[in-house]
Amino acid sequence: MNENVFNSVKELIKKSKLPHAILIDGGSSSERDEVALYIASSFLCNSVLPCGMCKNCIKINNGSHPDVIITDPGLMNEKTFKVNVVRDIRKDVYVLPNESKYKVYILKGADKMNASAQNALLKTLEEPPSYARFILLCESRSAMLETIMSRVTAFGLGSGSGSVESEYETKADNLANELAIALSEVTELRFMQLSSAFEKDKDLFPLVLSSIQLIFRDAVAISTGSDLILSSHADTARILASKLSLKALIGLVGNTEEFFECLNKNANKNLLITRFCSVLRNTAYAG
Ligand SMILES: [Zn+2]
């Protein structure tokens, strides 16, 4: 289990700062479920951190709590998360909780929603009843609309737990960190040198993209006075926050989202990698 994510979640719970809409991506589906149920329990348990022993915690863990609604297109053998399921949620959300302070919706396979389903959900995320809480689970946030992403607090669990993969992931994460540091330097030489790694190994690109996006998000958080750091590179995020404008940082998050969208549409990876350098540098140092 991703300790970083668990610790961030626990910190938020302790400070009573858990947002009403959360997205969890990456990891295995059982890891995502574990974090989602933990968060749901923290909403409904009387202890600050879920005790695991009370009536609410037990019901949540065995899937029988009437105020924790779990939807899973996979269970119904659906390939997509249908818009009518979202519409049912939109109606159901106005029915008061049965026995608790909150009503928690856990939406598995949120990345299987098409744009119209996501737009339908967006309306509920924008103006939810005060007792409603949403936990969106998906393999990758890159399939989510930007408007949805702007309404949720996202936690990434990383990909897989096999040792080979995680070593590779560490490599990508370190490269993302070095690239982010290089981006804070006025000359582009170092950034160019580092991004030549993609020419040798194109598979690194999406992983680096997802790590560097998290660093940019953290830099935005720092710039706006939030202490919620999600990446493992808080120092780098601080450097970026001190050297780049907030507008530039938000632009960089947007750039990484656009690159994800292109990757999803199977755009030419070589071209994307070539553009990566110039797009990020331009955003960082525009104006
Ligand atoms: Zn409890």
Side-chain angles (χ1 to χ4, degrees), residues 142-160:
S142 57
M144 305 309 292
L145 296 178
E146 259 178 58
T147 41
I148 294 271
M149 291 311 296
S150 70
R151 291 284 159 184
V152 301
T153 298
F155 296 95
L157 297 179
S159 65

Side-chain angles (χ1 to χ4, degrees), residues 259 261-272 275:
F259 277 110
E261 269 171 40
C262 295
L263 281 173
N264 277 356
K265 288 177 193 149
N266 290 320
N268 182 324
K269 230 183 240 176
N270 287 323
L271 260 167
L272 289 180
R275 281 182 49 219

Side-chain angles (χ1 to χ4, degrees), residues 175 179 189-202 204 273 276-277:
L175 178 57
L179 279 163
L189 184 64
R190 180 82 185 129
F191 195 87
M192 304 270 282
Q193 283 170 339
L194 288 166
S195 34
S196 69
F198 300 131
E199 280 156 33
K200 291 177 208 117
D201 185 355
K202 292 179 185 54
L204 265 179
I273 289 167
F276 180 72
C277 211

Side-chain angles (χ1 to χ4, degrees), residues 45-47 50-54 56-57:
C45 178
N46 289 326
S47 308
C51 68
M53 295 179 296
C54 69
N56 282 318
C57 285

